[in-house]
Amino acid sequence: MISACNDKPSDTYSEYQQRLASTTAVELPSTTQLRNINIDYSNDNIDKQTISLLQLAQLNHCPLNGLIAAHNNQLGKVATVSSKLIYQIRFIQLANKCMATIEDKPKIYQALQNATANKKAQLNANFTVLLYQEPELKRTWLLGSYEVDQSLSGLVETEQALQQLVNIKKAIKAKDYQNIGTELLFPALEVLNKFNFNQALISSARRQIKLNNDTRVYLQNLKLKRFCAPNKNKQKAKILSNIFKKYYLSQLQPYQAQLTAALERLMPLYKALWLTSSQNTPSALHSFINDSPDNLLYNLKLSAKAHVKWWQVFYKTCEISPI
């Protein structure tokens, strides 16, 4: 309840903008709203190969039989994407031992071998589906109402959870099937759900970038001569300076530095998870987290730098001290 009563950083920024507009007597222009980035991902090409009930009856002696039966029961209750991925991995892990016991049954052996090969071939695609359809991961890139606080609570836990997912992905890519830690998947997702830090971080960074850029454009359209004419009272210029120091330098700049630090820690993990290739990563997301000048971290730094640069020109033109 306490946190709900506190102003969000974007509220502080709005107050900063309103104070500037009140002092300059120039209204803030209306701007476009942020929108969700397009991360539609299709998994229509994933082939679903199954084992018949008759074939399954011949696997009663294998632990794989219990896995398949439990999975079929779960499907009746609509299994989650993560549950389906765990099933695919556990199927592969248990299949080899089972095949060693049915070499004298060529038909079921061949069916199990084909099913295993199919699941191995589709495992990378199934992991990608997890990234775009499992709620805890899908909402990373969707705009949310929550904003990261100054303490960055949840950062360490989120970093560890993402690293566990990266380790699973690496093992899948290396075809090191027996060492894929399926038992780590649900705990990692639970941590991401508990803190929801990723969505809050991405949403906060996007808002601060937009606010920086909107405010810079607004300030650039002001005529400094109104406030900084030689041999005239510079009272309004000093008021503007105080507003900048009270809101941006004292509150918003440190907050944006915190966001930058968090992004610098998590961006390598975002890349390792989502940025697989230009072919199977949505183009909007690809440019969002790659190393190009369009990425989120670069734009946060750039927007802050450009915003401060206007104030540097302001202090030089008005010949007043920023201290």
Side-chain angles (χ1 to χ4, degrees):
M1 290 180 64
I2 293 175
S3 62
C5 294
N6 292 335
D7 285 342
K8 295 185 291 186
S10 59
D11 293 332
T12 301
Y13 211 124
S14 295
E15 179 69 14
Y16 168 50
Q17 291 178 321
Q18 292 297 333
R19 292 298 181 93
L20 291 174
S22 176
T23 302
T24 61
V26 177
E27 291 186 5
L28 293 162
S30 58
T31 59
T32 58
Q33 297 295 315
L34 283 173
R35 294 183 179 181
N36 283 320
I37 60 173
N38 183 8
I39 55 170
D40 289 339
Y41 178 82
S42 172
N43 61 324
D44 295 339
N45 294 327
I46 293 181
D47 182 25
K48 298 175 178 64
Q49 187 168 344
T50 60
I51 292 179
S52 70
L53 290 175
L54 181 62
Q55 293 169 331
L56 181 61
Q58 301 179 59
L59 302 177
N60 281 334
H61 61 289
C62 294
L64 181 61
N65 177 276
L67 177 74
I68 296 173
H71 176 67
N72 289 339
N73 289 335
Q74 191 179 39
L75 283 179
K77 301 175 183 177
V78 186
T80 63
V81 177
S82 51
S83 296
K84 292 177 183 178
L85 177 64
I86 290 175
Y87 168 72
Q88 305 295 332
I89 296 170
R90 291 295 296 147
F91 188 105
I92 294 168
Q93 291 173 334
L94 294 173
N96 284 339
K97 288 184 179 180
C98 191
M99 283 191 288
T101 68
I102 57 172
E103 292 179 345
D104 59 336
K105 300 175 182 178
K107 288 186 177 181
I108 182 60
Y109 181 92
Q110 188 63 51
L112 184 53
Q113 187 178 53
N114 291 343
T116 304
N118 178 266
K119 293 184 187 306
K120 287 180 179 179
Q122 299 292 341
L123 205 51
N124 274 305
N126 281 312
F127 187 86
T128 302
V129 171
L130 175 83
L131 295 177
Y132 291 105
Q133 294 188 4
E134 191 70 24
E136 292 83 356
L137 294 163
K138 179 181 180 180
R139 66 173 176 239
T140 296
W141 309 106
L142 302 178
L143 285 171
S145 59
Y146 293 107
E147 297 181 22
V148 173
D149 57 34
Q150 287 275 13
S151 66
L152 299 182
S153 56
L155 170 59
V156 173
E157 294 85 350
T158 298
E159 186 176 31
Q160 292 171 346
L162 291 175
Q163 185 60 61
Q164 290 173 347
L165 295 177
V166 169
N167 292 341
I168 291 174
K169 181 180 179 180
K170 286 181 178 178
I172 291 173
K173 187 175 181 180
K175 300 181 180 181
D176 187 12
Y177 303 115
Q178 296 305 318
N179 289 316
I180 299 175
T182 55
E183 74 283 357
L184 300 176
L185 182 55
F186 283 150
L189 293 175
E190 287 174 2
V191 168
L192 297 182
N193 182 63
K194 177 182 178 180
F195 293 100
N196 197 23
F197 186 86
N198 290 321
Q199 184 182 29
L201 175 62
I202 301 300
S203 296
S204 298
R206 292 188 66 193
R207 286 192 182 94
Q208 292 297 311
I209 290 170
K210 187 177 189 305
L211 288 164
N212 279 343
N213 289 334
D214 288 348
T215 308
R216 173 182 52 80
V217 171
Y218 167 77
L219 291 171
Q220 286 176 339
N221 288 327
L222 296 178
K223 296 179 180 179
L224 287 181
K225 290 182 179 179
R226 289 179 52 203
F227 316 105
C228 308
N231 303 319
K232 285 191 176 182
N233 191 325
K234 298 179 181 178
Q235 186 60 31
K236 279 197 173 182
K238 292 177 181 178
I239 294 174
L240 288 173
S241 174
N242 289 335
I243 293 171
F244 173 63
K245 288 187 288 186
K246 177 181 178 181
Y247 290 97
Y248 193 82
L249 286 186
S250 297
Q251 300 179 65
L252 296 169
Q253 190 176 61
Y255 175 69
Q256 291 177 10
Q258 292 282 77
L259 293 182
T260 298
L263 281 172
E264 286 175 338
R265 286 178 63 167
L266 297 185
M267 193 65 79
L269 296 172
Y270 294 154
K271 291 178 184 178
L273 285 172
W274 279 276
L275 195 60
T276 51
S277 70
S278 57
Q279 286 73 35
N280 57 12
T281 301
S283 57
L285 184 56
H286 194 275
S287 62
F288 209 59
I289 59 177
N290 67 8
D291 292 323
S292 76
D294 295 325
N295 79 39
L296 189 68
L297 178 58
Y298 176 86
N299 274 307
L300 180 57
K301 293 179 179 179
L302 181 65
S303 67
K305 183 178 180 181
H307 177 74
V308 171
K309 186 175 181 180
W310 183 90
W311 284 101
Q312 291 173 338
V313 173
F314 166 83
Y315 284 115
K316 185 176 180 180
T317 303
C318 292
E319 295 181 336
I320 60 176
S321 173
I323 301 175

